[in-house]
Structure formats: structure tokens, C-alpha cells
Amino acid sequence: MEGYPDQRQALIVKSSNVTNVEHKVSSADRTARSGHRGGVLWFTGLSGAGKSTLAMAVEQYLFQKGFHVYVLDGDNVRRGLNVNLGFSPDDRAENIRRVGEVASLFADAGFICIAAFISPYRADREHARAAAREGFHEIYIQADLETCERRDPKGLYRKARAGAIRDFTGISAPYEEPASPDLAVDTAGNSVEDCVQRIVDYVDRAFALAPLGEDAW
Ligand SMILES: Nc1ncnc2c1ncn2[C@@H]1O[C@H](COP(=O)(O)OP(=O)(O)OP(=O)(O)O)[C@@H](O)[C@H]1O
Ligand SMILES: [Mg+2]
């Protein structure tokens, strides 16, 4: 398996004569209204590790508690915004670059944005972190390849082993594990409910949430 290519194309900035326009609504205004800060929960991990399952469950939980929360999911984004991108290292980098910028906009808007993407390259995840600055939280959704392959919820590992899918993470393309994630959740040894609870507990601590009402947790 190849590592991250050294010769990756640098981002070509084509826009010029662009001026920043200031908002009249501040982050503090948004926080005061919603009762919580915005930020990005970046879920990374192998296909089948449980990113989408946990992202949607955490979104539902937080939504029901009154939070502004939204999931950007890899499969969904590739059907729209990133429909023109494949799975080569350069296309994966551009996929994550765009999503990192979009997630950062959601965070600025006061949302807790859960981004569920394999995002196999460390450098790409660091770009996403740079876009959202201190509001970025890397959550490693961790399961060994054997477990993911046994689950194979979309039948993709089977196809990849048969050679029908190229550049498949873990089989024919690399996955670079997070060196020091903000949180690592082991989905191979824990139930969905326990994993959701760990993430929600983390959100509670990391976002230092103001009480939203009597039933806030
Ligand atoms: N503790 C757990 N957390 C999450 N998923 C689990 C857990 N235990 C078992 N599973 C199962 O593992 C599978 C995970 O599939 P899911 O689609 O969420 O993976 P994914 O990481 O989003 O993969 P992809 O990158 O291909 O989109 C589901 O079938 C889910 O029910
Ligand atoms: Mg998924």
C-alpha cells in the first residue's frame, strides 16, 4: 500500500480581488441564543467502523436535547457537492478540503457539525482542523480491519477483495491512524449505545454547554 504522495498538487488559488465581509451577528450572539458553542466533531475511521451509525445516533440525541446539530456524511456529500471526485489521493484530499471548509461554516453558524468521513490521510484531516481552528475535535471511530470486513454493511469489502473496487481503504489504499485523537471510540468491543454515550459525554465536556432548560443533561 502506498503512503501519502509527496508530489501532491498544491492548492492553486485562482480567486483574486476578494475582500472579507464582516458579519453583524457575532459568535457570542449565536451562542447566547442557542445555549452552546459551534464546533466540528470529525469522525474518522475505516469503512464499516461505524462512523455513519454513530453520527446519526449522536445527531438524533443532541437534536432531541435542543442542540443545533447536523451531520455531513461521506456518502451523502459524494452524491452532491463532491459528485465530481473519486478516490485517488488528490481527489480524497479535495473531498476533505471542501468538507472541512463546509464544516467550519456550520461551526461558525453555531452548529455542532458532525463530519463522518473515512478521511484516511493525516495531512487532509489536519487541513480540516486548520479550517475550523480550535472548534475542531478529532474522534477516531476505531475498529480493526477484520471486524469491519466481517460487518461489511455495504458489501464493499467483498467487492474490493474481488478487485471490483480500486483504491479501497484498508485493502488497496492506506489508512493513517490518528496519532493523538481528541477521543477514540472502540466500536469492536462496545455497543452502539455505549459508544453514543461516550461521544455525548465528550461533547458535554468539550463544549462546556450552558444549561438549555430543566431537562438539559
Ligand atoms: N459499537 C458500534 N458502533 C457503530 N456501529 C456498530 C457498532 N457495533 C456494530 N456496528 C455495526 O457496524 C456497522 C457500521 O456501519 P457504518 O455504515 O456506520 O460504517 P461507516 O464507518 O459509516 O462506513 P463507511 O465509511 O463505508 O461509510 C453497522 O452495521 C452497525 O450496526
Ligand atoms: Mg458511512
Side-chain angles (χ1 to χ4, degrees):
M1 290 195 296
E2 286 173 24
Y4 196 81
D6 295 330
Q7 306 292 324
R8 217 184 110 214
Q9 287 172 357
L11 184 65
I12 299 164
V13 178
K14 295 184 179 172
S15 47
S16 55
N17 300 317
V18 178
T19 315
N20 191 47
V21 181
E22 292 292 330
H23 287 259
K24 292 187 189 300
V25 179
S26 69
S27 287
D29 294 334
R30 295 180 205 277
T31 303
R33 178 176 291 181
S34 67
H36 64 84
R37 286 186 278 134
V40 176
L41 298 176
W42 190 277
F43 288 12
T44 175
L46 292 172
S47 178
K51 300 177 299 297
S52 298
T53 302
L54 295 174
M56 295 308 176
V58 170
E59 178 188 53
Q60 184 181 36
Y61 184 96
L62 292 176
F63 182 84
Q64 286 171 353
K65 292 286 182 187
F67 290 93
H68 292 165
V69 56
Y70 191 74
V71 172
L72 297 175
D73 188 87
D75 277 1
N76 295 346
V77 170
R78 281 185 177 276
R79 289 160 59 93
L81 176 68
N82 290 352
V83 74
N84 62 331
L85 299 175
F87 292 88
S88 69
D90 278 347
D91 276 8
R92 286 182 191 262
E94 178 61 9
N95 182 40
I96 297 309
R97 189 192 71 78
R98 289 182 196 173
V99 172
E101 295 292 341
V102 173
S104 155
L105 293 175
F106 269 92
D108 277 351
F111 275 67
I112 294 177
C113 181
I114 304 172
F117 292 79
I118 296 173
S119 46
Y121 295 121
R122 263 184 219 125
D124 294 341
R125 298 195 298 267
E126 286 312 307
H127 283 127
R129 179 187 293 281
R133 302 172 302 278
E134 69 281 358
F136 186 92
H137 304 262
E138 187 177 57
I139 317 284
Y140 183 17
I141 307 299
Q142 192 171 15
D144 55 282
L145 182 62
E146 196 189 330
T147 300
C148 295
E149 203 165 349
R150 194 173 54 247
R151 290 175 179 164
D152 206 5
K154 295 183 270 187
L156 298 179
Y157 282 98
R158 199 157 37 85
K159 285 189 188 169
R161 288 286 184 196
I165 305 177
R166 292 175 52 201
D167 299 327
F168 195 78
T169 302
I171 305 293
S172 48
Y175 179 76
E176 297 174 356
E177 289 196 305
S180 52
D182 297 290
L183 179 70
V185 178
D186 168 21
T187 73
N190 296 287
S191 68
V192 171
E193 293 71 26
D194 287 350
C195 293
V196 169
Q197 191 60 51
R198 279 208 67 206
I199 296 168
V200 165
D201 288 347
Y202 176 82
V203 169
D204 195 15
R205 290 196 306 277
F207 285 71
L209 302 168
L212 286 173
E214 292 198 348
D215 64 347
W217 90 104

